[in-house]
């Protein structure tokens, strides 16, 4: 299962990814909305974990955008 982690706090992102990777998941990190959009075009994910406050948007808006393009996510 591949998980997209969208978190701009580098330490928190690294910690989340580390714990998920140790639990057998594959994680991909994005630090802003633009990178998350790019990654979603390039690959498929089973789950996205989104921060609310991001440098170039917010997680709620990004979630709505993702759900309209990828309803299964």
């Amino acid at each position: 299962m591949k998980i997209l982690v969208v978190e701009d706090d580098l330490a928190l992102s690294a910690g989340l990814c580390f714990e998920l990777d140790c639990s057998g998941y594959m994680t991909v990190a994005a630090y802003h909305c633009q990178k998350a959009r790019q990654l979603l075009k390039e690959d498929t994910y089973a789950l996205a974990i989104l921060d609310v406050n991001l440098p170039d948007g917010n997680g709620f808006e990004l979630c709505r955008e993702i759900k309209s393009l990828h309803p299964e996510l």
Side-chain angles (χ1 to χ4, degrees):
M1 176 185 285
K2 193 179 294 187
I3 299 174
L4 177 62
V5 177
V6 185
E7 170 59 63
D8 62 324
D9 181 311
L10 300 182
L12 182 54
S13 178
L16 284 168
C17 290
F18 177 78
E19 290 298 325
L20 290 165
D21 290 343
C22 287
S23 296
Y25 300 100
M26 176 186 270
T27 58
V28 178
Y31 305 112
H32 46 76
C33 296
Q34 182 180 3
K35 182 65 175 180
R37 289 182 189 104
Q38 176 189 346
L39 291 169
L40 286 161
K41 287 179 184 175
E42 297 171 357
D43 209 346
T44 58
Y45 299 88
L47 178 70
I49 299 174
L50 309 174
D51 186 9
V52 174
N53 295 311
L54 294 161
D56 60 345
N58 80 52
F60 294 118
E61 291 173 10
L62 182 59
C63 183
R64 283 189 282 276
E65 183 180 329
I66 291 170
K67 288 302 285 181
S68 71
L69 298 171
H70 307 278
E72 73 287 353
L73 180 61

